[in-house]
């Protein structure tokens, strides 16, 4: 039987609720700064999250919501500069401590490290955004807790494609059968399953109504000793939080079935 050797974490929505009060707000500030009358409400942003990647999301918005828009110059360059400005505002918010981690994240990461599990990240957002979040919201040294940070444009195809997980597995030099992914969204789960990874889903506000067929377990949060999680799908026995024992329990329940990966 395969032994669990490493955990591969998504970032946005999984480590922290970065979207509604983080990236979304930063996108809107960048739009205003560029003199655009675009505003992404909490509700619209939830729809736009179907498209992963900030640059890809802006392009999708222009094509579907602003078909009359003409960029000043090259569209790709215009989107890239808007996205850069967005990330500047996002970095300010993270540095100000405005984006706390979700319950149980710090506890689980520390416990995993102490028990000898290797840690990695596979995310759609940029390396700079991940490092800022780890440093300011987790621990000044937290970047070094992760052996691999697979992020953003390091791969051509973003989630739900498996590329970012393939990249992380290759850098870890481990087979998928010895790793567990932690995700918050259907796009993330699809990406992990397509890379043959068993996957724990911890839903966030934007994803709690999605269907997570193929997940090893679906919970509403990782939980804390004084804040029990709710199991939404799967079997965590009597566990009230996700700790390393719970991860091993769900890992040993078996590989994702082929039919569930589609
Ligand atoms: C996260 C994303 C990202 C963030 C914004 O998806 O789709 O695009 O919304 O980050 P996941 P960037 O959690 O599945 O990785 O603007 O840097 O793309
Ligand atoms: Mg996510």
């Amino acid at each position: 039987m395969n032994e669990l050797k490493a955990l591969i974490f998504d970032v946005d929505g999984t480590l922290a609720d970065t979207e509604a009060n983080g990236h979304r707000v930063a996108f809107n500030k960048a739009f205003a700064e560029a003199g655009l009358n675009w505003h992404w409400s909490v509700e619209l942003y939830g729809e736009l999250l179907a498209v992963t990647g900030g640059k890809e999301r802006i392009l999708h918005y222009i094509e579907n919501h602003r078909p009359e828009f003409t960029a000043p110059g090259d569209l790709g360059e215009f989107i890239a500069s808007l996205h850069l400005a967005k990330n500047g505002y996002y970095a300010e918010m993270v540095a100000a401590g405005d984006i706390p981690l979700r319950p149980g994240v710090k506890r689980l990461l520390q416990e995993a490290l102490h028990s000898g599990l290797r840690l990695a990240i596979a995310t759609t957002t940029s390396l700079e955004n991940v490092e800022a979040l780890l440093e300011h919201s987790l621990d000044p040294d937290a970047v070094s807790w992760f052996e691999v940070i697979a992020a953003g444009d390091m791969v051509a195809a973003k989630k739900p494609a498996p590329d970012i997980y393939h990249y992380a597995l290759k850098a870890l030099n481990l087979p998928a059968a010895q790793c567990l992914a932690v995700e918050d969204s259907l796009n993330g789960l699809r990406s992990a399953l397509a890379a043959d990874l068993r996957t724990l889903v911890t839903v966030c506000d934007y994803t709690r109504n999605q269907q997570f067929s193929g997940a090893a377990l679906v919970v509403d949060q990782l939980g804390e000793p004084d804040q029990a999680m709710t199991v939404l799908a799967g079997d965590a026995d009597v566990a009230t939080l996700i700790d390393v024992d719970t991860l091993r329990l769900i890992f040993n329940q078996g590989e994702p079935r082929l039919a569930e990966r589609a």
Side-chain angles (χ1 to χ4, degrees), residues 126-212:
S126 69
L127 183 61
E128 293 81 3
N129 287 350
V130 178
E131 290 183 339
L133 186 75
L134 294 178
E135 194 182 315
H136 292 285
S137 302
L138 179 54
D139 185 277
D141 293 325
V143 171
S144 68
W145 299 8
F146 296 86
E147 259 180 68
V148 175
I149 299 182
D153 296 325
M154 289 178 194
V155 292
K158 293 189 171 150
K159 298 173 186 177
D163 302 33
I164 200 74
Y165 278 105
H166 285 151
Y167 185 105
L169 288 167
K170 193 167 177 216
L172 283 167
N173 195 24
L174 284 175
Q178 293 180 347
C179 302
L180 184 86
V182 186
E183 276 286 354
D184 72 300
S185 70
L186 184 56
N187 276 327
L189 173 66
R190 283 189 175 140
S191 172
L193 289 180
D196 291 332
L197 283 153
R198 289 165 228 206
T199 307
L200 164 69
V201 174
T202 167
V203 300
C204 68
D205 283 347
Y206 273 130
T207 62
R208 64 183 69 252
N209 294 323
Q210 294 179 340
Q211 295 300 312
F212 296 103

Side-chain angles (χ1 to χ4, degrees), residues 9-18 90 94 97-110 121 130 132-139 142 145-146 221-222 224 227:
F9 282 83
D10 169 51
V11 174
D12 294 300
T14 299
L15 298 186
D17 276 318
T18 55
Y90 179 75
V94 172
D98 291 349
I99 318 276
L101 296 181
R102 295 187 62 195
V105 168
K106 184 168 190 173
R107 173 189 56 71
L108 179 62
L109 289 170
Q110 286 177 321
I121 277 174
V130 178
L133 186 75
L134 294 178
E135 194 182 315
H136 292 285
S137 302
L138 179 54
D139 185 277
W145 299 8
F146 296 86
Q221 57 171 308
L222 300 179
E224 293 283 15
Q227 190 177 334

Side-chain angles (χ1 to χ4, degrees), residues 2-44:
N2 272 307
E3 192 192 333
L4 178 61
K5 297 260 177 69
L7 306 177
I8 311 178
F9 282 83
D10 169 51
V11 174
D12 294 300
T14 299
L15 298 186
D17 276 318
T18 55
E19 299 289 9
N21 299 318
H23 290 294
R24 182 189 70 89
V25 174
F27 275 114
N28 284 333
K29 285 184 178 173
F31 298 156
E33 184 190 56
L36 298 162
N37 67 343
W38 304 350
H39 179 83
W40 290 357
S41 67
V42 172
E43 193 189 356
L44 173 62

